[in-house]
Each structure stands twice: as structure tokens, then as C-alpha cells.
């Protein structure tokens, strides 16, 4: 009878999960643990949830635990308010739980900060119980998600002794979502935020968004595009923002908005937005106070100023620090922060775009208020498949610098390429700036440990939209996941994150996990090879950035063309950023500058970022630059065959629906990969005028064909 019940339960879970296999459940699936032995262990150890829920966060945490465990263990795991038994999960803070208070865990808790937690297997009054304890309700929530993750990834929970806390204080998604619901560089449908039906209609999707973010430790979200619309600051929109904030609050997520610098003129009808003007200062103060009446825990502002046409303080002869500080002063009484972007460059300046952000911001070090963070993109240009780290990291020791990564794949195959970005993020975080000697990694700059900052943060440009599976490509979910996990702990390895994501999202089946991890871990390097090998950069299609466009030249802005960056002609290719060229390398510490500047040490991956070299230049492996370039394109494009084969080899292990989703996109990716290969090789051959080396597939069509392709309605513009 018992066995029949179990089979029925299994059938039920399989049936429901099969019906709903769109990918909507992300990595929070909570399907029955298939491994019976493992499930037996969990059933013995986790029988009920002893938890008081005086706050919305604790209620949400207990619901998550109840829902998660009941699904994973195939039986109801109830929440009990009293009566500890063997197998209770005792969860709470010293304030919410007298048991936790009585356990004298306080000393251990003290070291865990505001958001940390501990998971511990202990014997309490002769009963074996599992404790989830934290100093704050949100810490308990994070502990709950950790326990669920252990079970989802089939790890033992019988002898827990885990403590954890985030390395960074602000772990923030940046939505580039417009008020008309289009998403700049968004490839997963329209914006999640349905401004039209807010505040009255609060979708379940907002709650699920909050759950997903909390599960990976994200604690802030900027709802609107950095190319900002000041309407968001009006009393038409603020109640809508407040409604979203109300949903996110229990999950520890604060809401931030982008502030258009000219708002005092557009909304306040002032004649100026000069940050030193008294009326302007008052306008920002009043506006900020007003925002806090709607959203008492409002996080603050993110600002893009004097960049790509956005208004800013420089229009009034003021500096970025003057601009940031006027907002910072308005936010300070409420404990809000300003995230001021360093993504600035101008085509009118006769200076290498690489150098411009550094040139503008470094002299401002020490001039920002204490509640300002300067948000710096990972590389000096713009989220390319591979960039050296931005020289600003380590160069502004008096200013907390916030990392900005792009999760959405603007330059990484947009919505159709499977690219796991953790290796890209890690490459940057682990890079050594040498600004305070060896070991001054970018990670230590942004976590504040190198220069003793009390605030620190990481931002990720979101890849989320209203597509059923949230991110368009199922594997886009892995990048959202990896961003959150690394913002929590930048020491995690890419492969460890890939492992947990794959297990939680798909299955613990060993063959499946191994195969998918292999695909993921190679995907970024493959992409670099088929798009921008040897340090090429910014050679994508004009404006929409879709597909290859190395021929883009003679446009109104040189720094938006491809030619600006590679300058390929019959003799040579690459951007000379050594002392004989733009000398951008001088912005790095001497160790870094000489490493990249010296051809003997510069890794091939960065060659054309820093050097202009003849096509015949011989690399360390004996190949010429031209041969190597062709072979890398070939290698990158050919890799897709293996990827498809690997994916097909695991057919039948997961549900058909998600399997097919990925399979179809891999087929599109394969076509696009060869398009990159063909178009780039056709173009670069027209420059080098050299024959293709042996075993290089010749482009299928003429260069003209690729140059003349027109694409209508490419998403994300
Ligand atoms: C939000 C690049 C993108 C723009 C984006 C900009 C930025 O230029 O193409 O779409 O604008 O970066 O980060 O501000």
C-alpha cells in the first residue's frame, strides 16, 4: 500500500512537472528527490519546521521551506510553532525564537553580520535537530535557501556545521527596462514591470522574481533603464514603484531607481539642473523625501550622466562628483546610496575611448560623499566577450567602486547563444591590479578589503523579461544565477556554480550533470574564438549589435565603429595601446602595463587589445597572426558540432520540453556561429589579402553579401 502511494506520488510529481516544464520554475523546482537512500536520510532528519513567523520575511522563509521540503521529500513537512521533536528544523533569530536565543549561539552569530546565517546539526534536549539561525530575518531566509540547495543537489544534511555571509553589501540587478515595457538590450520579451496595471494588479511573477533573487542573495534591484525617463519620479509612477517594493521587501530586496539628471528642469520646471544651484539642491531633497513617503526603505539612485547623450553635471561646468553629491546629500538622511556610473566617453575627444573613463574619474578620487559608489563596467570599453579589467579598479582607493557586469548578452550572442558567463566574471574578479602589490585583485577592490571601505557592491545588467522561462534562453538562467552567487561570494568557482545550477535546474543524474558542465565551461572560450579571437573587440553589427560587422566604418561616431578598434589594413591589425600608440597601458600599475605591453608576455587572448601587429607576426606557437586568427575562428565555429552532439547524447534524461527548447536554440546558434566565422574571415581576408591556411573552411558567400544583410526589428534596441 505504502509502495503504491509512493508510486502515485511520483507519478503526480512527474506529471505536474512535465505539464509545467517551460522553465518558469528556474532553479527552485523542488521536485521529488529521486535517490531513495538520500531521500530516506532527509525524511529522517527533516520532519517539521519549528519556526515562529512574526515578520513577513520569516513567513516567506517558512513558506519556502515548507513548499520546498514538501516537494523534495514527497510528503507534507508542516510548520509547527511549538513542540520540538527529533527531526525538527529550528529556524529563526534570537529575537524570534526562544530556542535559538537559549542555544547560546550568539557568539557565533555575532561574527556573521546582518545577513549571514548558520546551519547546524545539534542535539537539543536529547533530540537531533537542524538549526537555521541568523541575526536578522533575512539571514534566516538565506539559510533556508542554503538548506534547500543542499537537498536539491543531493548533499548530506546529517552533520551540518556551516556558516556563511556575503562578501559584498550591495548585490544589485540593473534592469534596463523602459516605461513602455521595451527592454534595452533585453532578449527575453518585454519588461517584467507592467506599469499599466500597477499598483492595483500585483502579479505572482513579482513574488517569484523576489524568491529567485533571494535564493541567490541578491538584495537590490534598479527597476528602470539607465537611459532614464524622469516620469518614474512622479506621483503617477511612485505608487507603482511602491507596490513592487512591497512585494520585494520580505525577500530582503530594496528598490532603486534611475535618476535622470535633468529632472529638476523636466519635472520641477526649474531653469537649470546645475548641481550647485540652491533650488536644484532643494528640488532633489524634496523629491527624495517624497520618494521615501512612498517607499520607506528606498535604496537610492543609479545615474548615467554625460554619457551617450544623457544629461549630466558637465553641461553646467560641474564634475561627476558635484553631480553625485547633490543626490547623495538628499539620500543621506534616509540612508540611501548613489551608484554613479563611470561609463563615460565622448567621440569628440581625440583620445582612445579606452582611456576616457579613467581620465575623468581618477582625478575625482576622494571627492565623493560617503554614500556614493562609482559603478565601473568590468572592462574599459563595453561588455565585450573578453576585455582586460578596467584600469579604474585599484586606481581610486578613496572611493568605493562597484562592479558592473552585464548578464544580458548584448555582445555575447544575445538571446540565441548558450554562453555561461561565470568564467568571464571570474576572470575579471581574479585579475590582479597590482595597485597595492601582488594580490590586489579586482575582487579585493570591489569588496572593499583592499582599501578598507565599509560599502561595497556588484551590479548585473539583468537578462530577465516576461518570457515564460524568464531569460529567453534557458541557459541565460545560469548567468542570472552565477551573478547572484558571485556577488554573494566571489571566491566560488565557475564550475562549482555550474554544478549546483545544473543539478537544481535539471537533474542530479551524473551523466547529465557532467555533460552539461562541460558544455557550459567551454562555452565562453568558444564564443571568444568564433567572435573576437586574439583580442579583437567591438566588431559587431551596427546599432543593434546583432551578428558580425567588422567592416563598420565611416559612421557619425568613429568610436561606435568596428574599424576604430582593429584598423585592419594590408599590413597590420590591432590597436596599439603601448607607449608608441595611445599609451592606455600607462593607466595600469607598472606590473600590469609591462605584462600586457611586452609582446613576450602578453597572452594571445589580449594581443590585439594592446598591439598593432603585422599579419605575418609570429606567435609563440610558431603560427603567424593570420593563421592563428583563421584557426581560432575555425575552432570556435567547429565547436558547435560537439556541443550539439553532447546535448543530443543526454536526450531522454530530462523533460522533452526544455530539452527541445535548448536543442532548437543550439541549431540557431550553430548557424550564427558559422555566420560569424564566414563574415569575419571574408572581411579580414579582404584586408590581409592572404590565402586561407589549410583546413580553414572558406566563407560560403562573398563579403558583399555579409555586408549588405539587413535585419528588421532586432530585439533589444
Ligand atoms: C543603456 C552600451 C549599450 C547601450 C547601453 C550603454 C550603457 O552602449 O549598447 O544600450 O545603454 O552601453 O551601458 O549605458
Amino acid at each position: 500500500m505504502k509502495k503504491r502511494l509512493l508510486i502515485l506520488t511520483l507519478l503526480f510529481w512527474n506529471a505536474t512537472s512535465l505539464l509545467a516544464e517551460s522553465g518558469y520554475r528556474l532553479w527552485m523546482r523542488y521536485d521529488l528527490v529521486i535517490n531513495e537512500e538520500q531521500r530516506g536520510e532527509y525524511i529522517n532528519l527533516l520532519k517539521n519546521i519549528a519556526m515562529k513567523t512574526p515578520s513577513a520575511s520569516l513567513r516567506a522563509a517558512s513558506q519556502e521551506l515548507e513548499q520546498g521540503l514538501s516537494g523534495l521529500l514527497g510528503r507534507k513537512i508542516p510548520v509547527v510553532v511549538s513542540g520540538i521533536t527529533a527531526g525538527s528544523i529550528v529556524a529563526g533569530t534570537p529575537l524570534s525564537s526562544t530556542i535559538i536565543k537559549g542555544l547560546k549561539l550568539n557568539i557565533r552569530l555575532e561574527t556573521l553580520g546582518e545577513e549571514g546565517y548558520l546551519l547546524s546539526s545539534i542535539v537539543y534536549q536529547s533530540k537531533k535537530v537542524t538549526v537555521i539561525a541568523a541575526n536578522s530575518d533575512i539571514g534566516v531566509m538565506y539559510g533556508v535557501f542554503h538548506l534547500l540547495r543542499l537537498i536539491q543537489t543531493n548533499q548530506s544534511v546529517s552533520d551540518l556545521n556551516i556558516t556563511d555571509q556575503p562578501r559584498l553589501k550591495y548585490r544589485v540587478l540593473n534592469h534596463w527596462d523602459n516605461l513602455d515595457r521595451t527592454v534595452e538590450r533585453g532578449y527575453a520579451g518585454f519588461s517584467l514591470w507592467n506599469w499599466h496595471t500597477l499598483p492595483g494588479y500585483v502579479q505572482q511573477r513579482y513574488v517569484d522574481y523576489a524568491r529567485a533573487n533571494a535564493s541567490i542573495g541578491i538584495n537590490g534591484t534598479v527597476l528602470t533603464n539607465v537611459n532614464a525617463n524622469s516620469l518614474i519620479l512622479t506621483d503617477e509612477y511612485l505608487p507603482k514603484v511602491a507596490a513592487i517594493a512591497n512585494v520585494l521587501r520580505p525577500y530582503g530586496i530594496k528598490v532603486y531607481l534611475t535618476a535622470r539628471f535633468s529632472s529638476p528642469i523636466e519635472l520641477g520646471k526649474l531653469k537649470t539642473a546645475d548641481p550647485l544651484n540652491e533650488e536644484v539642491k532643494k528640488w532633489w531633497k524634496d523629491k527624495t523625501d517624497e520618494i521615501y513617503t512612498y517607499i520607506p526603505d528606498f535604496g537610492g539612485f543609479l545615474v548615467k550622466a554625460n554619457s551617450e547623450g544623457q544629461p549630466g553635471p558637465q553641461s553646467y561646468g560641474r564634475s561627476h562628483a558635484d553631480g553625485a553629491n547633490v543626490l547623495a546629500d538628499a539620500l543621506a538622511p534616509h540612508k540611501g546610496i548613489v551608484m554613479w556610473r563611470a561609463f563615460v566617453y565622448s567621440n569628440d575627444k581625440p583620445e582612445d575611448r579606452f582611456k576616457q573613463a579613467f581620465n575623468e574619474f581618477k582625478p575625482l578620487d576622494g571627492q565623493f560623499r560617503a554614500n556614493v559608489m562609482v559603478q565601473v563596467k568590468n572592462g574599459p570599453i563595453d561588455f565585450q566577450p573578453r576585455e582586460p579589467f578596467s584600469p579604474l579598479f585599484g586606481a581610486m582607493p578613496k572611493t568605493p567602486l562597484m562592479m558592473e557586469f552585464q548578464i544580458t548578452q548584448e555582445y555575447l550572442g544575445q538571446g540565441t547563444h548558450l554562453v555561461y558567463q561565470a568564467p568571464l566574471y571570474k576572470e575579471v574578479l581574479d585579475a590582479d591590479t597590482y595597485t597595492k602589490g601582488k594580490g590586489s585583485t579586482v575582487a579585493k577592490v570591489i569588496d572593499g578589503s583592499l582599501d578598507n571601505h565599509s560599502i561595497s557592491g556588484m551590479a548585473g545588467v539583468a537578462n530577465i523579461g516576461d518570457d515564460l522561462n524568464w531569460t529567453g534562453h534557458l541557459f541565460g538562467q545560469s548567468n542570472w544565477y552565477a551573478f547572484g552567487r558571485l556577488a554573494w561570494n566571489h571566491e566560488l568557482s565557475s564550475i562549482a556554480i555550474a554544478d549546483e545550477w545544473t543539478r537544481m535546474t535539471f537533474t542530479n543524474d551524473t551523466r547529465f550533470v557532467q555533460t552539461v558542465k562541460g558544455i557550459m565551461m567551454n562555452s565562453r572560450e568558444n564564443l571568444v574564438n568564433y567572435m573576437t579571437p586574439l583580442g579583437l573587440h567591438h566588431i559587431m553589427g551596427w546599432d543593434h549589435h546583432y551578428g558580425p560587422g567588422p567592416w563598420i566604418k565611416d559612421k557619425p561616431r568613429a568610436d561606435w565603429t568596428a574599424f576604430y578598434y582593429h584598423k585592419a589594413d594590408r599590413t597590420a591589425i590591432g590597436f596599439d595601446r603601448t607607449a608608441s600608440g595611445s599609451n592606455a597601458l600607462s593607466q595600469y600599475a607598472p606590473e600590469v602595463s609591462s605584462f600586457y605591453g611586452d609582446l613576450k608576455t602578453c597572452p594571445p587572448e589580449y594581443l590585439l587589445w594592446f598591439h598593432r601587429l603585422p599579419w605575418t607576426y609570429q606567435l609563440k606557437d610558431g603560427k603567424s597572426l593570420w593563421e592563428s586568427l583563421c584557426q581560432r575562428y575555425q575552432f570556435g565555429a567547429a565547436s558547435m558540432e560537439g556541443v550539439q552532439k553532447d546535448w543530443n547524447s543526454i536526450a531522454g534524461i530530462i523533460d522533452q520540453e526544455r530539452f527541445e527548447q535548448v536543442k532548437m536554440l543550439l541549431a540557431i546558434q550553430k548557424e550564427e556561429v558559422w555566420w560569424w566565422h564566414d563574415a569575419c574571415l571574408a572581411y579580414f581576408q579582404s584586408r590581409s589579402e592572404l590565402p586561407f591556411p589549410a583546413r580553414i573552411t572558406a566563407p560560403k558567400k562573398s563579403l558583399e553579401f555579409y555586408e549588405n544583410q539587413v535585419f528588421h526589428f532586432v530585439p533589444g534596441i
Side-chain angles (χ1 to χ4, degrees), residues 415-636:
T416 45
H417 292 212
L418 187 167
V419 188
Y420 175 52
Q421 292 195 66
L424 185 162
Y425 303 154
K426 284 291 285 184
E427 188 173 282
V428 179
L429 292 165
D430 293 344
D432 199 338
T433 70
Y434 280 91
T435 45
K436 284 200 166 162
K438 193 167 164 45
S440 310
T441 60
V442 171
K444 286 187 188 160
V445 174
I446 63 154
D447 73 11
S449 61
L450 195 69
D451 301 305
N452 281 326
H453 292 299
S454 58
I455 58 174
S456 57
M458 197 191 281
V461 179
N463 60 349
I464 305 162
D466 71 350
D467 267 12
L468 266 184
N469 72 13
W470 302 84
T471 51
H473 199 305
L474 258 174
F475 277 76
Q477 296 179 0
S478 70
N479 294 324
W480 177 7
Y481 185 86
F483 167 78
R485 297 288 285 133
L486 285 172
W488 179 275
N489 179 3
H490 53 64
E491 281 174 20
L492 292 173
S493 71
S494 302
I495 195 154
I497 299 172
D499 186 87
E500 45 183 63
W501 177 78
T502 305
R503 289 173 187 277
M504 293 161 80
T505 304
F506 293 112
T507 169
N508 281 288
D509 179 278
T510 312
R511 189 159 64 87
F512 188 94
V513 173
Q514 288 309 109
T515 309
V516 168
K517 275 197 303 192
I519 294 176
M520 290 170 80
M521 291 303 291
N522 291 325
S523 59
R524 188 277 186 128
E525 211 53 48
N526 287 342
L527 173 114
V528 172
N529 279 329
Y530 65 70
M531 284 190 179
T532 52
L534 290 174
L536 284 171
H537 49 286
H538 209 285
I539 59 168
M540 65 289 161
W542 174 251
D543 184 44
H544 46 63
H545 299 168
Y546 172 59
W551 48 81
I552 307 280
K553 199 182 170 207
D554 300 330
K555 295 281 186 185
R557 282 188 70 141
D559 56 1
W560 283 356
T561 67
F563 190 76
Y564 175 95
Y565 298 93
H566 63 66
K567 295 188 181 67
D569 61 19
R570 181 130 194 254
T571 57
I573 179 170
F575 202 126
D576 182 3
R577 293 190 165 108
T578 66
S580 57
S582 77
N583 206 13
L585 277 166
S586 65
Q587 296 184 332
Y588 289 113
E591 291 86 342
V592 178
S593 141
S594 59
F595 177 70
Y596 286 128
D598 186 344
L599 278 168
K600 287 201 255 349
T601 45
C602 182
E605 288 76 20
Y606 294 96
L607 215 49
L608 304 177
W609 264 102
F610 295 112
H611 299 275
R612 178 164 179 76
L613 297 167
W615 294 105
T616 49
Y617 172 79
Q618 206 176 44
L619 276 80
K620 278 188 213 111
D621 61 7
K623 289 183 192 118
S624 74
L625 181 66
W626 169 242
E627 276 171 337
S628 190
L629 190 80
C630 293
Q631 282 173 4
R632 282 164 197 254
Y633 273 113
Q634 183 75 22
F635 186 74

Side-chain angles (χ1 to χ4, degrees), residues 176 178 184-185 187 225-228 304 307-308 310 341 343 345 353 377 381-383 404 406 410-411 461 538 540 543-545 560 716-717:
W176 285 356
N178 299 311
E184 180 149 352
R185 313 308 177 186
Y187 312 101
N225 192 353
V226 286
N227 291 332
K304 171 176 178 177
S307 164
E308 299 185 332
Q310 293 300 301
R341 296 178 89 223
F343 180 65
Y345 63 101
R353 174 172 165 187
K377 285 192 182 182
I381 301 294
D382 194 10
F383 300 137
E404 180 175 319
Q406 194 176 47
E410 175 178 0
Y411 303 102
V461 179
H538 209 285
M540 65 289 161
D543 184 44
H544 46 63
H545 299 168
W560 283 356
I717 307 178

